[in-house]
DNA sequence: TAGCCATTTCGATGTTCGTCTATGTTGACG
DNA sequence: CGTCAACATAGACGAACATCGAAATGGCTA
């Protein structure tokens, strides 16, 4: 049942998926709101365990991975689940349940959006 | 109160060097060490105030800005100084004192390094 | 139906983080 | 000298976080 919980990347209002979350960091000073939004992503990736989980999903064959495939990061399994939830809430990962297992994949346009953050090409 | 100044990233007692770290997140799963290193950068940018400060420096004319130019982010002056120190320790900014003022600039190769993190451009 | 397995959620605990006020240091200028 | 301005440091306090074990949820299979 884990649906879309909250996507800070896309602003509320139903549409707005096309709105880039943030301009390049070097283009102009960030406003407080832009900083709040972008910092949420960076913060989610600012934990070693979460970064490993994200990398495990992002580099997994087929673009997706089930929890059982990526649970070996040195912390307990409930902790893994907790971190995956954080990544989901930050809009970086999406999850889908198929039978017994839950599969995670990188949310589309996340990598492109973050790339744009770091400069115009 | 624990030790604050223990950064395995920075070898000797100054500021951390810009990390030459880390392959693309999507290329292969991160090791624990890579994750530790890269997460330090993300973590440093994971606070709205720090992200605004970084953006203010990165977008400032001449590539550098003195503290007096970027202190208006809604928190007290010691807090600004504290966050700038964090960014310095993460290897994202460098500082130089010239007369009364202290100038900050983005550490070279930081943006390129982070861009490489997000995919093979 | 019962049992089992993968995953999530819950409650508790120790630690880290962001912010403040107060004070210290450094350089410019009279 | 003495004083002022810019910036850094120190200590304290409350909020947020990471982590764990235990219990609950959802879905297979017999």
């Amino acid at each position: 049942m884990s649906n879309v919980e909250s996507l800070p990347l896309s602003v509320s209002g139903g549409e707005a998926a096309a709105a880039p979350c943030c301009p390049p960091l070097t283009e102009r000073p960030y406003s407080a709101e832009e900083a709040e939004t972008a910092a949420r992503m960076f913060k989610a990736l600012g934990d070693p365990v979460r970064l490993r989980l994200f990398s495990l999903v992002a580099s997994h064959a087929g673009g997706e991975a089930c929890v059982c495939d990526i649970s070996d990061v040195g912390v307990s399994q409930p902790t893994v689940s907790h971190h995956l939830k954080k990544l989901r809430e930050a809009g970086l990962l999406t999850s889908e349940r198929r039978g017994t297992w839950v599969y995670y994949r990188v949310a589309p346009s996340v990598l492109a959006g973050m790339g744009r953050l770091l400069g115009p090409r």
Side-chain angles (χ1 to χ4, degrees), chain A:
Chain A
M1 188 84 69
S2 55
N3 235 6
V4 201
E5 301 208 3
S6 66
L7 279 180
L9 285 181
S10 53
V11 203
S12 61
E15 186 96 356
C21 78
C22 298
L25 279 163
T26 58
E27 190 175 292
R28 57 170 172 80
Y30 266 29
S31 72
E33 292 77 18
E34 289 170 330
E36 198 82 35
T37 300
R40 206 164 322 193
M41 287 192 319
F42 285 119
K43 190 174 187 176
L45 293 178
D47 180 89
V49 173
R50 281 198 295 269
L51 193 56
R52 289 188 71 186
L53 290 172
F54 184 85
S55 175
L56 277 161
V57 172
S59 66
H60 205 264
E64 65 179 13
C66 94
V67 180
C68 58
D69 286 329
I70 60 178
S71 296
D72 193 21
V73 287
V75 295
S76 76
Q77 198 271 337
T79 301
V80 168
S81 186
H82 167 255
H83 284 306
L84 286 173
K85 182 180 181 181
K86 286 280 187 98
L87 289 168
R88 225 169 47 216
E89 289 174 350
L92 296 172
L93 294 182
T94 64
S95 66
E96 178 195 358
R97 171 156 220 153
R98 288 206 296 274
T100 305
W101 295 278
V102 176
Y103 290 83
Y104 280 80
R105 55 173 59 235
V106 177
S109 81
V110 160
L111 289 174
M114 294 192 66
R116 182 175 51 245
L117 268 182
L118 298 172
R121 277 199 157 273

